[in-house]
Amino acid sequence: MSPAVQIALAVALVVVVFLLLLVLRRDRPRDLVAPDRPAGDGQAEVLRLARAGRTVEAVKVLREQTGLSLLDAKRAVDALAAGGTWSPGPPAPGKGVDEAVRAEAARLLYRGKKIQAIKVVREHTHMSLADAKRYVEGL
């Protein structure tokens, strides 16, 4: 089989799969975001932007509202764009950190073990590496 025929078959297969996915999703009702806390029209705006394919703007608005990391906000927007739901997960960095975790991180930092302190914070919270580093450096 010539390379041109192989490419044409591959493109046709991709188109068929894409159309099949569209048909399967067409009859599925779209979920709405159920806010866990009053957020005015902020979550509605994120949902509208995500469903309109304006991912970058939706991620930006969500990050401003929640303080999520870029990766977590992108995952949430992707879930919304796919017709799923999302609700706020862990608190913003530094908020709601258990006192025992803070004390252990401070003890390690005092001993000069900054990396171990960051690991402790990350193991007991849902912070990103950058957020945990900023938290430990702020102790």
Side-chain angles (χ1 to χ4, degrees), residues 67-109:
L68 286 173
S69 70
L70 180 60
L71 180 61
D72 291 338
K74 173 72 167 83
R75 286 178 178 158
V77 168
D78 287 345
L80 292 172
T85 60
W86 173 84
S87 62
K95 294 182 183 174
V97 175
D98 185 54
E99 182 61 28
V101 173
R102 190 204 63 74
E104 177 66 13
R107 184 184 66 78
L108 288 167
L109 185 62

Side-chain angles (χ1 to χ4, degrees), residues 46 54 65 73 97 122 136:
V46 172
R54 296 168 62 186
Q65 290 177 358
V97 175
R122 291 198 69 208
V136 167

Side-chain angles (χ1 to χ4, degrees), residues 6-129:
Q6 289 177 344
I7 291 172
L9 287 175
V11 169
L13 179 64
V14 169
V15 170
V16 168
V17 169
F18 178 73
L19 291 175
L20 181 62
L21 289 175
L22 284 177
V23 168
L24 292 175
R25 282 193 59 204
R26 180 180 56 183
D27 296 328
R28 194 175 111 209
R30 293 212 155 177
D31 299 328
L32 297 177
V33 175
D36 288 346
R37 61 182 189 275
D41 65 345
Q43 285 189 341
E45 177 68 7
V46 172
L47 179 61
R48 184 186 66 75
L49 291 168
R51 299 270 167 87
R54 296 168 62 186
T55 306
V56 173
E57 294 170 64
V59 168
K60 181 179 178 185
V61 170
L62 186 59
R63 289 189 73 203
E64 289 170 356
Q65 290 177 358
T66 63
L68 286 173
S69 70
L70 180 60
L71 180 61
D72 291 338
K74 173 72 167 83
R75 286 178 178 158
V77 168
D78 287 345
L80 292 172
T85 60
W86 173 84
S87 62
K95 294 182 183 174
V97 175
D98 185 54
E99 182 61 28
V101 173
R102 190 204 63 74
E104 177 66 13
R107 184 184 66 78
L108 288 167
L109 185 62
Y110 179 75
R111 291 184 170 178
K113 298 182 177 186
K114 182 177 175 181
I115 293 173
Q116 286 82 1
I118 293 169
K119 285 181 181 180
V120 165
V121 170
R122 291 198 69 208
E123 287 171 1
H124 293 85
T125 66
H126 296 290
M127 288 186 197
S128 67
L129 178 60

